[in-house]
Amino acid sequence: MKLKKRKIKYAAIFFVCWFVLLVFLVDGVLKFQTLVDYVGSYAIVEVALLLLVILPTLAVYKFTKE
């Protein structure tokens, strides 16, 4: 798979914006410890948050037109 600079640029911009929004929501509004208490496992919350950042970024990369 050949990487395209334009697609990487848009995916990177999306990644940064989405990551900042999730950090604000999780650390500021929802409180991380509350999520851990609700789910019951620190690892599950961490993996879920990582997937919430990585999967949409990959989708943006895949669907960005060259």
Side-chain angles (χ1 to χ4, degrees):
M1 179 170 98
K2 185 177 178 186
L3 297 176
K4 310 283 185 186
K5 286 184 181 180
R6 180 179 175 176
K7 292 175 85 168
I8 291 173
K9 180 178 79 172
Y10 286 126
I13 291 169
F14 176 81
F15 174 82
V16 169
C17 294
W18 185 240
F19 184 75
V20 167
L21 178 68
L22 279 179
V23 166
F24 171 73
L25 287 176
V26 170
D27 287 340
V29 177
L30 299 174
K31 305 295 182 202
F32 183 77
Q33 190 59 44
T34 305
L35 289 175
V36 172
D37 292 341
Y38 183 74
V39 174
S41 173
Y42 179 82
I44 292 174
V45 173
E46 283 291 323
V47 169
L49 291 174
L50 283 173
L51 289 175
L52 278 173
V53 172
I54 292 171
L55 292 178
T57 302
L58 290 175
V60 167
Y61 178 79
K62 181 174 172 50
F63 295 119
T64 300
K65 301 212 187 275
E66 190 54 39

